[in-house]
Amino acid sequence: MKVLVKEDHRAPVVVSMVWYCAGSMDEMNGSTGVAHVLEHMMFKGTKEVGPGEFSRIIARAGGRENAFTTKDSTAYHEQLHKSQLPLALRLEADRMANLLLSEGEFAREIKVVMEERRLRTDDQPRASLYEAFMATSFQVDPYRTPVVGWMTDLESMQVEDAREWYRRWYAPNNATLVVVGDVTAAEVFAEAERRFGPIAARPLPPRKPQTEPPQHGIKRLNVKLPADQPYLVLGWHAPSLRDVERDWEPYALEMLAAVLAGSDAARLERELVRTARVATAAGASYDGVNRGPAMFIMDATPATGKTVQELEQALRQQIQRIVDQSVSEEELRRVKAQVRAGLVFDLDSMFSQARQIGALDNAGLPFDSLDLLARKLTEVTAEQVQAVARKYLVDDNLTVAVLDPQPVAVRKPTPPPPAEHAH
């Protein structure tokens, strides 16, 4: 088991995160959503800790805990006083090796997950559009399936599916412990060895590559759902970060997204929302830290009286302007200052530090490269931003998704989203 420690002595607090390199991208057809289902089941007890007791123990110790599942990983985290770190590690080691998966608890929890899917996706038109967008953009890569799983798979899932997933991936040699806070590396290593050392490693299944073939031409989809407004998503296939030192395109793509939508002064807000008034909101995003492929995404809501066709044309014109004219040095300096400020703000949070370290490690990147990542972003040139726009934001890479709003028959009050796991 890998153990990563970052000492931060500003407050007597510690964040502990156990990352398993197993997310929805590792699932098989017919059992989508099982990674997320097991995340829920990890709070349902062991021989030593009863169902739901994990959360109550951490709360009694004055801490907070939760978990999340992504396409790449599943992570469990606690934030508490530094004196309580041994407690968190004892509980995590216990459920790594001794989880009980009962029929009754599974039958109750799968209903919770299905309701979560209804609330977060099926009843949310934009989330449903994005789900369809990903399933269309990717033909082969497992990123095409939703983390929560397809409803038909959830309906047919059995407790044995969760048991098999647990047996397959929940082993110390498929896990990384990340600890950030007012501790010393030596004491964390010693406690981790004490708690996790007795758990035997297990052979891991081979991960077969599922490489996305080249796209040839624009993909378009139109999704009709009850909604108040149209919504538009444009997404281009793009490279992920694979070599922190030598790669430059991922950094340039991140700066391109910031030029377009990094602040209220960015191009989309300034020119499409406030000046041309073709959109009420517009954004751009890129995240290159993934085990799988990345996408560069733009999304927008048309203003009253404007069509999605006009909005798509306006978004494309913004890209074409960068391809033809690049970006100004002044604009790039402003964006770099904003990016640096954001990175500094993230480092102010122990939880953010732990999450960044764990995400880098899970993606196969050096866990200690946060400073290098920040420096590489500030070294991006205007020519590099122009080059990635010209190379990747082309029609052969593009998927366009449109939410076609249908009449909303009855307005239901929107319930609060469920917690990341059910207590």
Side-chain angles (χ1 to χ4, degrees):
M1 181 176 179
K2 186 183 296 184
V3 180
L4 306 176
V5 181
K6 184 173 183 182
E7 298 183 15
D8 187 328
H9 301 289
R10 292 174 295 170
V13 176
V14 65
V15 173
S16 170
M17 301 186 82
V18 175
W19 292 71
Y20 293 93
C21 189
S24 63
M25 70 176 294
D26 301 296
E27 295 166 348
M28 303 295 183
N29 287 340
S31 61
T32 63
V34 68
H36 175 241
V37 169
L38 184 62
E39 176 213 312
H40 280 242
M41 294 302 298
M42 284 283 279
F43 293 86
K44 298 306 174 183
T46 66
K47 294 177 182 178
E48 301 295 328
V49 179
E53 192 63 22
F54 185 107
S55 303
R56 290 190 285 271
I57 292 172
I58 294 295
R60 285 197 296 268
R64 300 194 304 268
E65 47 65 50
N66 216 316
F68 58 86
T69 304
T70 70
K71 293 184 181 298
D72 294 342
S73 62
T74 311
Y76 303 85
H77 53 88
E78 298 83 36
Q79 185 167 350
L80 20 65
H81 190 271
K82 64 178 183 179
S83 63
Q84 299 299 321
L85 179 62
L87 171 67
L89 299 190
R90 174 175 66 81
L91 291 171
E92 289 291 2
D94 180 39
R95 65 179 175 180
M96 176 186 283
N98 303 309
L99 186 67
L100 296 179
L101 287 158
S102 73
E103 292 272 5
E105 289 291 344
F106 180 85
R108 285 186 286 273
E109 202 60 29
I110 195 67
K111 292 178 181 176
V112 172
V113 174
M114 287 191 283
E115 183 62 14
E116 182 178 335
R117 183 190 158 82
R118 291 186 193 99
L119 292 175
R120 289 185 169 180
T121 303
D122 298 345
D123 293 343
Q124 302 295 326
R126 292 192 178 189
S128 295
L129 178 74
Y130 185 76
E131 184 176 86
F133 163 78
M134 291 296 289
T136 302
S137 298
F138 291 105
Q139 177 181 333
V140 172
D141 194 275
Y143 272 22
R144 71 188 312 274
T145 62
V147 173
V148 73
W150 300 115
M151 185 62 89
T152 182
D153 288 347
L154 297 177
E155 290 171 342
S156 62
M157 193 171 293
Q158 304 295 318
V159 67
E160 187 55 34
D161 295 310
R163 288 175 182 148
E164 174 58 28
W165 185 262
Y166 180 71
R167 287 192 294 263
R168 181 180 299 171
W169 298 117
Y170 277 55
N173 49 313
N174 195 46
T176 299
L177 170 66
V178 180
V179 175
V180 175
D182 189 18
V183 292
T184 66
E187 67 180 304
V188 175
F189 293 151
E191 190 64 28
E193 175 66 29
R194 177 186 174 198
R195 298 300 181 184
F196 294 95
I199 305 174
R202 293 199 305 274
L204 299 174
R207 302 180 193 264
K208 296 183 179 180
Q210 299 181 72
T211 305
E212 185 69 17
Q215 185 173 322
H216 303 290
I218 300 177
K219 296 180 180 179
R220 290 185 179 272
L221 66 151
N222 192 76
V223 177
K224 294 182 177 182
L225 289 170
D228 294 323
Q229 295 174 303
Y231 180 58
L232 174 68
V233 178
L234 282 72
W236 293 265
H237 294 287
S240 294
L241 183 62
R242 291 291 177 254
D243 188 316
V244 174
E245 182 63 52
R246 294 184 178 86
D247 287 351
W248 64 268
E249 290 181 332
Y251 302 112
L253 285 161
E254 188 166 341
M255 297 307 294
L256 173 59
V259 165
L260 290 169
S263 71
D264 288 343
R267 291 191 177 198
L268 298 185
E269 175 69 24
R270 185 180 71 243
E271 300 189 16
L272 270 58
V273 177
R274 296 203 301 268
T275 302
R277 296 185 178 181
V278 69
T280 58
S285 63
Y286 166 81
D287 182 5
V289 179
N290 308 291
R291 283 172 56 202
M295 293 201 77
F296 189 97
I297 293 176
M298 298 174 73
D299 67 319
T301 304
T304 303
K306 300 295 183 180
T307 66
V308 288
Q309 291 77 19
E310 291 172 312
L311 184 54
E312 180 185 337
Q313 183 180 12
L315 291 171
R316 285 166 163 273
Q317 286 172 349
Q318 291 299 315
I319 297 299
Q320 195 59 47
R321 280 184 55 194
I322 292 174
V323 169
D324 294 339
Q325 304 168 21
S326 190
V327 298
S328 69
E329 290 299 330
E330 171 61 28
E331 188 176 24
L332 200 55
R333 275 196 299 272
R334 184 176 68 249
V335 168
K336 287 178 180 179
Q338 292 164 352
V339 169
R340 280 197 301 271
L343 292 170
V344 170
F345 181 77
D346 283 344
L347 291 177
D348 195 47
S349 162
M350 291 184 188
F351 180 82
S352 292
Q353 292 179 68
R355 185 155 187 168
Q356 289 175 334
I357 290 168
L360 286 169
D361 177 72
N362 190 259
L365 300 170
F367 65 87
D368 56 354
S369 56
L370 289 174
D371 291 340
L372 178 57
L373 288 168
R375 177 170 65 79
K376 298 292 282 187
L377 283 170
T378 61
E379 293 174 352
V380 171
T381 66
E383 291 75 19
Q384 288 176 326
V385 173
Q386 182 184 35
V388 292
R390 178 180 293 126
K391 180 176 179 180
Y392 292 108
L393 305 196
V394 297
D395 284 359
D396 280 356
N397 265 345
L398 175 61
T399 299
V400 180
V402 174
L403 174 60
D404 185 354
Q406 304 299 300
V408 180
V410 178
R411 172 67 64 190
K412 296 180 181 179
T414 302
E420 288 184 291
H421 65 77
H423 293 304

